[in-house]
């Protein structure tokens, strides 16, 4: 399997939501919806504080429960990779995938009614380009690449730096990693 | 953005789809499926206009449809990455509330309104009134207030007409005090973009500057480079800003006491002799006076003023000195705080001088700009009265026209100014107390012209409103900033102007024609000017339209030799730790600390700043950026919230020390602010009904700034001396 991963450095992420903006523009995301979002986590008491920003989205899981839950095959892996996409022409809008996603990363598109989500900008990835969110990040905090390749930027960052994923306990094997 | 809000927004529509949709597959492929085989979009070069950072960008269009705007990969401002606001520039074009027709104020049956008229009617009206002002009083009795890349068209028009009273809020409401402080010390202000060599620094000091929320593009990258490089980051801020969250040393200072902290830093550096004595004796004047001045200001003294412990003060001072000269003080923007702002900038500049960072790697590099010649035109007439004659009596060291002085001299029948032209700046929300002053000025001025893309608050004061097209639909002058790599970049139209909107250059030329100033506009299209200028540099517009940006080799080095400085333009030619100029004009030659006024019981410091999604008060109605941040929230410490029984997410109104009440604003209860302060993002609380999205959303900090602390040296309007308390609002 071609194994793509996104690696986000929480040390340099400034929570500016440029990733959200660039995704919405690139993918013509309708008003009121978004495929990625930013979470702020502040811990401690003034003045001993820690604030972390996390740009979150579909984790393009290696073991995607949404793909398994889809009764029509609309939710699928793209081109033998771990990139999860929805073929709208097969999607009935039944929302089984929404219930199966541990990350709340799927949306009902308006007005068509099919299920929309982050595609890692597969229309760009097919040409070897980074997803729009990664390409725009003004803090250079986001990285994208192949985990199969040990010399890729993402593989090296994960080897060098402590990191974590969201909800690893589900067994979904998420592929969005956060550097501490 | 909180995604939950987005879900909330979409839930009503979602249930409609569920009821009506049924379980059949979608007839059309998804957006991504269509994009897999889409032909590449057309790319047109531009320079972003959402803020003054002026990133070179590429506009992607398909036919007449605007798809997206991305950074120009070869540009040093953007490095191919626009910030949140620049990416949302699509909304500047798509804003459904844009001005598309010239408007003229008409009186009908005792009530006034702005009515659509033809360009000829609007321009003739302006021409007649400006001619009348020139004939009856003289052209110097006309002033302009401008901002942005298009400002140069109206500066040119004003100078050709015969006035030099052209003021930018960028001076008295923003950078003026800091540039004056650095000018007095180093003989020049700092550049924009600032020449902070953060990517090579071992220590970065931010005093109130909130890089990360303040999203000046290349500066965000170089700041995060410093984080990546494990440089020591020292952030002085009453709020746990994003920058503070990246810092090793957050100093949550008591508002208004920054000079006390900096005097103590100097005290430590001098007491512990952590400076290069040879550098000081060769390159500075006034060291002995400085040493005597700061001797009493120990960290123990400063603790009582700032709340920063002596241990923290000593530790941070030592870190700076150890990193020097690779230690950079970001001078900040929006320096108009407490009325002693030139002196605060002086303190930063003196520290920079002591640590020898001017022209050094990791300190302030030496910026260089391209020498772009002006298009040939007759010399400007000399105004009989200059802005200096009105301003320097009041503010002796003002280096540029002061907006608030222009406004003061526009009020009343005997006021000096008789007419005012405002270009691309929303004065009522920019100048504290500006709305009240404009309302008074409007009673007596013979003419107020507002040129804008959108129906901002300023248009409500105008006799004539002229609709400019957005930056995506026009040429403007070349971007030519002093910076590390000298370059020029060009803004070209990617789309046809909507409605009757027109480019700024066209508007200036048309007004010029009506004032018989055709000799100053000896071209038909501004393209000719750009092409002529590029020809002088060995380029052409045709070539630059292919790349968008062009670099030129540096003529001078980017750093000077270690231990040296270039000859400075100060009177002594050296770094002036002690300023004889200030002494001669009756000011403190060394920065003096004045304790700030403290809030009355139950009131809190009103702090304010930038949000990464918006620029000034100009983007709240941008439909793309509105999606990301529709309103501002007021940050309140949990102890204060508990005392007032205010819950997170509820709405309050802010009431200031003079009884001014804000619009309702949502509360964010957070540990990230000092308990004695609240914080608000600037630019919200619009009152112009034409801005349909932005109208009435959030609170306007500028309206709460009724106590203005003028800097006596250069006239900036200190805005930090205001205090607020809370009035609870029923749940919305």
């Amino acid at each position: 399997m071609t194994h793509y991963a996104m690696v986000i450095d929480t040390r340099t992420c400034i929570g500016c939501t440029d990733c959200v903006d660039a995704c919405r523009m690139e993918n013509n995301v309708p008003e009121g919806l978004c495929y990625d979002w930013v979470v702020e986590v502040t811990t401690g008491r003034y003045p001993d504080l820690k604030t972390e920003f996390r740009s979150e989205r579909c984790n393009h899981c290696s073991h995607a429960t949404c793909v398994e839950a889809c009764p029509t095959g609309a939710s699928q892996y793209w081109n033998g990779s771990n990139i999860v996409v929805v073929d709208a022409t097969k999607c009935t809008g039944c929302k089984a995938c929404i219930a199966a996603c541990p990350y709340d990363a799927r949306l009902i598109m308006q007005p068509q009614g099919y299920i929309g989500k982050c595609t890692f900008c597969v229309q760009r990835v097919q040409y070897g380009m980074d997803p729009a969110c990664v390409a725009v990040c003004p803090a250079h905090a986001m990285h994208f690449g192949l985990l199969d390749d040990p010399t890729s930027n993402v593989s090296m960052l994960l080897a060098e730096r402590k990191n974590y994923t969201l909800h690893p306990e589900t067994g979904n094997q998420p592929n969005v990693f956060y550097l501490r | 953005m909180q995604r939950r809000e987005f879900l909330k927004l979409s839930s009503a529509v979602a249930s409609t789809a569920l009821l009506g949709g049924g379980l059949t597959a979608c007839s059309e492929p998804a957006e991504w499926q269509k994009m897999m085989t889409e032909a590449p979009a057309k790319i047109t070069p531009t320079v972003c206009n959402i803020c003054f950072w002026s990133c070179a960008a590429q506009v992607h269009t398909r036919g007449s449809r605007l798809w997206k705007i991305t950074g120009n990969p070869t540009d040093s401002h953007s490095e191919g990455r626009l910030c949140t606001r620049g990416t949302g520039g699509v909304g500047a074009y798509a804003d459904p509330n844009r001005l598309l027709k010239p408007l003229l104020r008409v009186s009908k049956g005792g009530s006034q309104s702005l009515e659509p008229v033809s360009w000829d009617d609007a321009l003739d009206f302006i021409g007649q009134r400006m001619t009348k002002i020139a004939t009856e009083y003289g052209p110097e009795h006309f002033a302009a207030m401008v901002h942005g890349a298009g400002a140069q068209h109206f500066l040119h028009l004003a100078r050709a007409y015969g006035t030099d009273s052209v003021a930018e809020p960028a001076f008295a409401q923003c950078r003026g005090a800091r540039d004056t402080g650095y000018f007095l010390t180093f003989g020049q202000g700092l550049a924009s973009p600032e020449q902070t060599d953060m990517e090579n620094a071992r220590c970065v000091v931010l005093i109130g500057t909130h890089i990360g929320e303040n999203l000046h593009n290349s500066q965000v990258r170089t700041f995060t480079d410093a984080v990546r490089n494990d440089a020591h980051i020292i952030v002085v801020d009453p709020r746990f800003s994003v920058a503070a969250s990246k810092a090793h040393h957050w100093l949550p200072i008591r508002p208004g006491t920054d000079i006390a902290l900096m005097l103590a830093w100097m005290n430590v550096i001098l007491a512990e002799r952590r400076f290069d004595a040879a550098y000081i004796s060769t390159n500075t004047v006034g060291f002995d006076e400085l040493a005597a001045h700061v001797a009493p200001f120990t960290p123990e003294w400063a603790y009582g003023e700032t709340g920063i412990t002596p241990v923290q003060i000593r530790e941070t001072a030592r870190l700076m000195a150890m990193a020097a000269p690779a230690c950079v003080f970001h001078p900040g923007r929006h320096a108009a705080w407490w009325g002693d702002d030139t002196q605060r900038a002086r303190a930063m500049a003196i520290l920079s001088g002591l640590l020898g960072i001017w022209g050094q790697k990791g300190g302030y590099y030496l910026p260089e700009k391209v020498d772009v010649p002006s298009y040939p035109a007759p010399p400007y007439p000399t105004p009989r009265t200059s802005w200096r004659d009105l301003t320097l009596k009041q503010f002796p060291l003002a280096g540029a026209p002061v907006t608030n002085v222009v406004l003061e001299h526009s009020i009343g029948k005997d006021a000096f100014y008789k007419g005012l032209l405002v270009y691309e700046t929303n004065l009522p929300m920019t100048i504290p107390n500006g709305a009240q002053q404009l309302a008074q000025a409007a009673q007596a001025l013979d003419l107020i012209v507002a040129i804008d893309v959108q129906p901002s608050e300023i248009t409500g004061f105008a006799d004539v409103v002229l609709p400019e097209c957005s930056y995506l639909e026009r040429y403007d002058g070349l971007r030519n900033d002093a910076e590390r790599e000298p370059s020029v970049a060009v803004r070209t139209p990617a789309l046809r102007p909507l409605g009757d909107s027109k480019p700024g250059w066209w508007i200036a030329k048309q007004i010029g024609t009506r004032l018989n100033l055709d000799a100053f506009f000896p071209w038909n299209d501004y393209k000719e000017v750009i092409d002529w200028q590029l020809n002088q540099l060995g380029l052409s517009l045709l070539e630059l339209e292919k790349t968008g940006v062009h670099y030129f080799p540096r003529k001078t080095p980017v750093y000077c030799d270690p231990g040296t400085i270039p000859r400075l333009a100060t009177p002594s030619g050296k770094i002036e730790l002690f300023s004889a100029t200030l002494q001669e004009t009756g000011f403190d030659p060394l920065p003096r600390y004045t304790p700030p006024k403290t809030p009355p019981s139950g009131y809190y410091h009103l702090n304010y700043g930038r949000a990464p999604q918006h620029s000034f008060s100009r983007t709240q109605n941008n439909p793309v950026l509105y999606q990301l941040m529709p309103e501002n929230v007021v940050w309140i410490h949990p102890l204060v919230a508990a005392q007032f029984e205010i819950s997170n997410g509820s709405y309050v109104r802010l009431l200031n020390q003079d009884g001014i009440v804000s619009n309702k604003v949502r509360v964010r209860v957070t540990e990230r602010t000092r308990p004695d302060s609240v914080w608000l993002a600037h630019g919200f609380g619009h009152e112009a009904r034409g801005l349909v999205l932005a109208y009435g959303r959030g609170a306007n900090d500028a309206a709460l700034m009724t106590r203005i602390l003028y800097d006596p040296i250069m006239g900036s309007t200190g805005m930090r001396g205001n205090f607020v308390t809370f009035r609870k609002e029923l749940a919305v």
Side-chain angles (χ1 to χ4, degrees):
Chain A
M1 184 174 82
T2 317
H3 192 170
Y4 291 100
M6 191 175 280
V7 173
I8 302 171
D9 191 348
T10 61
R11 208 174 144 213
T12 45
C13 173
I14 52 170
C16 68
T17 69
D18 203 0
C19 45
V20 182
D21 203 6
C23 168
R24 298 190 71 248
M25 296 298 103
E26 169 72 28
N27 295 297
N28 300 317
V29 179
E31 197 174 314
L33 303 179
C34 54
Y35 297 161
D36 57 350
W37 58 95
V38 175
V39 172
E40 176 195 322
V41 183
T42 295
T43 49
R45 288 284 169 91
Y46 171 92
D48 297 312
L49 293 166
K50 184 173 171 358
T51 291
E52 178 177 288
F53 295 99
R54 260 199 326 260
S55 172
E56 296 187 0
R57 61 192 41 64
C58 168
N59 279 262
H60 297 276
C61 305
S62 301
H63 177 199
T65 40
C66 57
V67 172
E68 286 171 12
C70 179
T72 67
S75 272
Q76 54 186 269
Y77 287 117
W78 173 74
N79 199 23
S81 73
N82 60 309
I83 296 180
V84 176
V85 293
V86 177
D87 177 351
T89 64
K90 290 185 183 167
C91 176
T92 61
C94 76
K95 306 177 192 64
C97 57
I98 292 183
C101 173
Y103 302 102
D104 200 7
R106 289 170 162 255
L107 303 163
I108 303 156
M109 300 302 285
Q110 300 305 327
Q112 303 94 328
Y114 72 86
I115 303 303
K117 65 184 290 299
C118 161
T119 65
F120 267 173
C121 287
V122 67
Q123 73 276 10
R124 293 169 59 91
V125 171
Q126 67 173 341
Y127 298 121
M129 294 158 76
D130 282 338
C133 55
V134 174
V136 83
C137 178
H140 294 239
M142 298 179 69
H143 309 272
F144 183 78
L146 287 169
L147 275 191
D148 318 306
D149 174 4
T151 66
S152 71
N153 196 10
V154 286
S155 297
M156 307 233 294
L157 282 167
L158 291 178
E160 284 164 16
R161 300 265 306 270
K162 283 185 184 164
N163 59 80
Y164 67 94
T165 55
L166 298 175
H167 303 304
E169 71 284 358
T170 58
N172 273 34
Q173 299 170 32
N175 289 305
V176 177
F177 297 85
Y178 297 94
L179 301 178
R180 288 183 197 278
Chain B
M1 166 160 46
Q2 299 297 321
R3 180 160 170 279
R4 220 139 281 293
E5 291 183 341
F6 267 57
L7 293 176
K8 218 189 286 170
L9 274 175
S10 59
S11 61
V13 209
S15 45
T16 315
L18 177 67
L19 294 171
L23 289 181
T24 52
C26 189
S27 57
E28 266 189 67
E31 198 65 27
W32 72 268
Q33 291 174 290
K34 294 182 219 164
M35 292 176 107
M36 290 300 279
T37 52
E38 222 163 11
K42 186 185 169 205
I43 288 177
T44 312
T46 190
V47 173
C48 183
N49 197 45
I50 304 290
C51 87
F52 47 79
W53 209 255
S54 301
C55 295
Q58 299 180 325
V59 187
H60 302 246
T61 50
R62 290 206 161 97
S64 62
R65 193 175 75 84
L66 171 58
W67 172 29
K68 64 176 181 181
I69 312 170
T70 57
N72 185 323
T74 65
D75 177 39
S76 61
H77 294 221
S78 72
E79 297 177 329
R81 296 157 185 254
L82 288 186
C83 77
T84 316
R85 301 161 304 152
T87 304
V90 171
Y93 174 76
D95 184 346
N97 302 138
R98 273 178 58 174
L99 290 167
L100 299 176
K101 277 261 184 207
L103 305 171
L104 187 66
R105 183 176 296 271
V106 293
S107 296
K108 269 189 223 151
S111 72
Q112 294 186 349
S113 59
L114 287 165
E115 297 294 334
V117 293
S118 70
W119 272 104
D120 275 339
D121 286 351
L123 293 164
D124 289 347
F125 181 88
I126 294 167
Q128 285 156 16
R129 289 283 172 103
M130 284 182 75
T131 304
K132 189 163 172 275
I133 290 168
T135 316
E136 287 184 14
Y137 308 99
E140 64 277 8
H141 292 267
F142 190 86
M145 308 249 219
V146 297
H147 181 263
Q152 65 187 86
H153 307 303
F154 297 92
L155 172 66
H156 178 63
L157 173 70
R159 295 299 308 275
Y161 171 67
T163 179
D164 67 356
S165 295
V166 183
E168 297 201 20
F171 185 73
Q173 279 70 49
C174 191
R175 291 167 47 202
R178 102 171 188 202
D179 287 345
T180 308
Y182 274 78
F183 174 81
L184 290 163
T185 315
F186 290 103
Q188 59 179 292
L190 290 174
S192 173
E194 287 79 12
Q195 63 258 45
T196 47
D197 197 11
M198 289 189 282
E199 64 264 58
N200 292 309
R202 296 306 313 148
C203 180
V204 174
V205 187
L206 307 185
I207 299 173
T209 299
H210 43 305
I211 298 177
E213 288 147 293
N214 146 354
L215 211 51
H216 305 144
N217 201 339
S218 36
Q219 192 164 269
V220 170
R221 198 268 295 162
T222 52
F223 176 71
T224 52
D225 280 346
V227 174
R228 274 184 283 270
N229 294 340
D230 285 324
H232 292 286
I233 313 278
I234 299 167
V235 173
V236 182
D237 201 314
R239 185 176 65 104
F240 191 62
S241 63
V242 170
S245 78
K246 308 295 180 197
H248 305 88
H249 299 273
W250 173 41
L251 309 183
I253 196 165
R254 186 163 76 86
T257 64
D258 308 84
I259 293 179
L261 173 66
M262 285 190 275
L263 290 172
W265 275 342
M266 292 177 211
N267 175 289
V268 174
I269 290 167
L270 295 192
E272 299 183 2
R273 297 198 60 80
R274 292 178 182 272
F275 55 86
D276 178 344
Y279 179 92
I280 297 289
S281 70
T282 317
N283 300 318
T284 71
V285 294
F287 178 81
D288 293 342
E289 290 92 334
L290 177 72
H293 178 69
V294 301
F297 302 124
T298 60
E300 285 69 22
W301 165 81
Y303 177 45
E305 299 299 321
T306 61
I308 309 301
T309 64
V311 171
Q312 284 176 302
I313 295 175
R314 288 203 167 85
E315 192 183 359
T316 47
R318 287 168 190 160
L319 284 173
M320 292 174 209
M322 283 189 284
C327 169
V328 64
F329 294 81
H330 194 289
R333 298 183 81 100
H334 189 88
W337 295 0
W338 288 91
D340 53 4
D341 302 301
T342 300
Q343 295 289 10
R344 192 180 69 253
R346 274 272 296 154
M348 258 187 267
I350 290 169
L351 277 164
S352 305
L354 276 180
L355 297 179
I357 73 171
W358 189 269
Q360 296 299 327
K361 190 170 184 181
Y364 296 133
Y365 67 80
L366 302 171
E368 188 181 302
K369 75 193 286 188
V370 184
D371 189 12
V372 179
S374 302
Y375 193 81
Y380 295 132
T382 307
R384 276 177 300 183
T385 308
S386 163
W387 66 268
R388 290 187 178 82
D389 301 318
L390 296 180
T391 311
L392 301 189
K393 279 182 278 186
Q394 215 176 335
F395 302 117
L397 295 175
V402 174
T403 43
N404 28 301
V405 171
V406 172
L407 268 189
E408 281 161 25
H409 286 283
S410 302
I411 295 170
K413 267 194 142 35
D414 302 325
F416 179 80
Y417 294 112
K418 302 298 176 191
L420 186 62
L421 179 146
V422 185
Y423 173 77
E424 206 189 276
T425 174
N426 192 25
L427 299 179
M429 291 176 75
T430 304
I431 303 177
N433 213 22
Q436 287 72 14
Q437 285 185 312
L438 275 162
Q440 286 173 277
Q443 302 308 312
L445 288 175
D446 292 341
L447 176 67
I448 302 179
V449 182
I451 300 160
D452 210 331
V453 176
Q454 57 180 350
S456 319
E457 281 71 11
I458 183 65
T459 60
F461 295 93
D463 299 302
V464 194
V465 178
L466 302 179
E468 192 183 25
C469 57
S470 79
Y471 68 102
L472 300 170
E473 304 154 272
R474 68 184 199 231
Y475 285 100
D476 260 319
L478 291 167
R479 183 195 80 189
N480 176 24
D481 291 325
E483 51 197 312
R484 190 187 294 274
E485 300 169 271
S487 70
V488 292
V490 70
R491 173 179 297 158
T492 69
L495 297 147
R496 291 169 61 87
L498 286 186
D500 277 348
S501 63
K502 297 280 189 188
W505 62 260
W506 183 90
I507 299 171
K509 181 175 162 66
Q510 290 295 321
I511 296 174
T513 296
R514 282 154 178 87
L515 299 170
N516 294 320
L517 299 173
D518 282 323
F520 290 90
F521 299 89
W523 38 267
N524 292 312
D525 192 310
Y526 199 71
K527 280 167 79 169
E528 297 163 39
V529 177
I530 303 170
D531 193 45
W532 181 89
Q533 289 180 314
L534 291 170
N535 289 167
Q536 313 311 304
L537 301 170
L539 283 171
S540 70
L541 179 56
L542 199 66
E543 286 171 75
L544 195 57
E545 288 202 76
K546 286 180 200 149
T547 56
V549 188
H550 187 87
Y551 289 91
F552 293 83
R554 281 190 68 107
K555 293 176 179 160
T556 55
V558 70
Y559 303 118
C560 41
D561 291 336
T564 67
I565 49 163
R567 176 155 180 94
L568 301 176
T570 51
S572 62
K574 296 184 178 188
I575 302 169
E576 304 213 330
L577 304 175
F578 177 96
S579 171
T581 308
L582 280 171
Q583 191 176 42
E584 284 156 19
T585 35
F587 299 110
D588 293 319
L590 289 159
R592 187 160 55 89
Y593 167 67
T594 316
K597 209 167 165 176
T598 50
S601 170
Y603 283 76
Y604 301 86
H605 288 279
L606 172 63
N607 295 333
Y608 54 86
R610 290 187 162 104
Q613 294 84 1
H614 288 285
S615 283
F616 316 123
S617 64
R618 296 191 60 79
T619 56
Q620 290 70 28
N621 208 64
N622 172 316
V624 174
L625 298 175
Y626 170 85
Q627 294 264 302
L628 297 172
M629 185 182 182
E631 61 184 340
N632 58 356
V633 293
V634 58
W635 293 28
I636 303 179
H637 189 273
L639 290 174
V640 179
Q643 193 188 329
F644 283 82
E645 298 180 337
I646 296 168
S647 57
N648 192 40
S650 66
Y651 280 87
V652 296
R653 285 178 196 271
L654 303 176
L655 174 70
N656 86 348
Q657 72 283 344
D658 296 321
I660 300 294
V661 184
S662 79
N663 193 16
K664 66 179 193 287
V665 58
R666 201 138 51 137
V667 171
R668 177 185 181 186
V669 177
T670 177
E671 296 278 352
R672 290 177 58 192
T673 176
R674 276 174 66 97
D676 64 359
S677 301
V678 302
W679 188 84
L680 203 57
H682 169 73
F684 289 84
H686 282 272
E687 292 177 0
R689 287 184 180 274
L691 302 172
V692 173
L693 289 176
Y695 175 75
R697 290 193 188 264
N700 176 7
D701 57 333
L704 295 165
M705 295 167 185
T706 45
R707 182 165 169 250
I708 305 169
L709 304 168
Y710 294 99
D711 187 317
I713 299 174
M714 48 60 72
S716 73
T717 51
M719 307 182 207
R720 290 273 154 106
N722 291 279
F723 310 117
V724 294
T725 188
F726 316 101
R727 213 181 248 184
K728 276 200 270 185
E729 189 72 6
L730 290 175
V732 182

